[in-house]
Amino acid sequence: MIDLHSHSNISDGLFSPTELVAHAAEHGVNVLALTDHDDISGLSEASQAARLHGIQLINGVEISVTWKKRTLHIVGLNIDVDNEALKTELASVRQSRLDRARQMASGLEKSGIHGSFEGASAYAKQSILTRMHFARFLVEHKYAKDPKSVFKKYLVKGKPGFVDHQWMDLESAVSLIVNAGGVAVLAHPGRYDIRRTNMLLLLEEFRALGGSAIEVVTGSHTAAQYVEYAKYAQLFGLKASQGSDYHGKGISFMEMGRLPALPSGCVPVWQDWADIQGLSSVQKLPNVQ
Ligand code: AMP
Ligand code: MN
Ligand code: MN
Ligand code: MN
């Protein structure tokens, strides 16, 4: 079982990197990528835990990007964690997240919700502050019953806690990943509010910039979307990735170890990763119709 997208409490997951790896092992995962938002500092702990559990850890990251006024996520896999440019850029994203969090808190303050910056920070283990941390604070204080409704009521466009933040541009994110020796993967494409014409433009641009895969099977795609994005991958000669996007109990789309196989015709992103060849047969099947 290969799972190439997951979060620890270094970003907005609930488990520490060690606990996350143990959880993955218990659920039958044998290749795991830890892909915290804009932070790679959980990877050394995770790789130690992975050795202990006989899991292969893939060094990953999930970078937020602004493309045509939309927020997209680009996952980097097999990145060099010592790459200086990557470390410097991610540090600056974390700083901008902090500024954004203060603006979010002031928006919430205006609608009568006090102390959300401190409240959200209390859930953050490190410097990364995400909307998920605000969601947990708001649920704890009974502003909504669960993270899903909290997002809808407070944290999306047009709502008091939303800040129209400017993330990294697509070109910078892809080149940072590629220059750090990694593979750039467009995360959960089915989650963006993008019509077909723009999706075609995005995939064209992403590939031209050096992107090489898209997530086809992810916790937030429906079965129909697995097929849809398998076709997009094929159309653009992009490889296919799969990952649960696990964050922890109650805040995840899918439990670990439950990912279905990639649709036939997909070229797995791990196709030429020598060390995991033994774990999965390369799928060389007829084209998706
Ligand atoms: P941020 O990067 O700070 O905007 O936070 C985004 C994170 O919040 C995502 O990575 C998800 O973990 C979570 N998230 C975003 N939208 C939702 C939603 N509608 N329901 C639950 N969690 C969400
Ligand atoms: Mn998240
Ligand atoms: Mn994401
Ligand atoms: Mn994610």
Side-chain angles (χ1 to χ4, degrees), residues 14-287:
L14 300 183
F15 286 139
S16 70
T18 303
E19 292 163 344
L20 182 79
V21 169
H23 187 80
E26 276 164 29
H27 287 77
V29 173
N30 30 34
V31 178
L32 176 73
L34 173 60
T35 55
D36 276 312
H37 298 284
D38 310 313
D39 200 328
I40 55 176
S41 62
L43 292 170
S44 70
E45 183 187 320
S47 74
Q48 281 184 29
R51 240 168 281 137
L52 221 73
H53 288 277
I55 280 191
Q56 187 185 341
L57 185 88
I58 304 292
N59 287 327
V61 66
E62 182 172 19
I63 301 180
S64 309
V65 154
T66 300
W67 184 79
K68 290 185 185 281
K69 299 191 175 153
R70 296 173 178 85
T71 301
L72 310 177
H73 287 171
I74 307 296
V75 160
L77 298 174
N78 273 329
I79 44 164
D80 169 12
V81 293
D82 296 319
N83 183 275
E84 287 304 326
L86 182 64
K87 287 198 289 191
T88 310
E89 283 306 310
L90 293 181
S92 118
V93 176
R94 292 195 292 274
Q95 180 59 47
S96 86
R97 273 190 176 275
L98 210 55
D99 302 337
R100 169 200 190 224
R102 290 195 193 283
Q103 292 172 48
M104 288 172 64
S106 100
L108 290 168
E109 188 81 41
K110 282 180 196 131
S111 62
I113 299 172
H114 307 297
S116 67
F117 183 83
E118 294 71 20
S121 302
Y123 288 112
K125 187 170 177 260
Q126 300 227 129
S127 52
I128 283 276
L129 265 178
T130 70
R131 283 184 293 162
M132 186 64 93
H133 297 105
F134 281 85
R136 288 168 67 190
F137 164 81
L138 292 167
V139 171
E140 183 198 21
H141 290 271
K142 308 269 190 301
Y143 289 104
K145 64 177 192 318
D146 53 31
K148 201 179 154 149
S149 36
V150 133
F151 267 89
K152 232 169 127 181
K153 216 166 144 191
Y154 294 104
L155 302 174
V156 294
K157 213 172 209 124
K159 302 298 171 176
F162 183 80
V163 172
D164 203 4
H165 192 69
Q166 184 68 38
W167 300 104
M168 203 183 285
D169 62 42
L170 183 63
E171 178 172 9
S172 308
V174 172
S175 31
L176 264 185
I177 291 167
V178 172
N179 292 336
V183 171
V185 183
L186 178 67
H188 43 65
R191 255 176 60 201
Y192 310 127
D193 187 17
I194 296 183
R195 283 170 214 277
R196 184 171 166 85
T197 316
N198 265 330
M199 183 57 74
L200 295 170
L201 273 177
L202 169 61
L203 294 175
E204 185 69 50
E205 193 176 325
F206 175 66
R207 192 187 50 183
L209 292 170
S212 47
I214 64 174
E215 286 184 346
V216 168
V217 170
T218 126
S220 56
H221 278 180
T222 61
Q225 286 174 320
Y226 302 158
V227 177
E228 182 184 357
Y229 288 97
K231 287 184 190 164
Y232 275 119
Q234 240 178 14
L235 192 59
F236 285 90
L238 292 160
K239 290 180 179 147
S241 189
Q242 60 181 44
S244 60
D245 205 357
Y246 187 75
H247 282 70
K249 212 174 159 61
I251 57 167
S252 300
F253 297 99
M254 187 189 263
E255 180 49 274
M256 277 188 160
R258 302 244 175 100
L259 290 167
L262 289 172
S264 60
C266 287
V267 178
V269 65
W270 60 86
Q271 174 176 246
D272 45 10
W273 298 355
D275 21 349
I276 68 172
Q277 283 309 294
L279 290 169
S280 104
S281 55
V282 177
Q283 300 182 35
K284 282 220 171 86
L285 295 162
N287 288 353

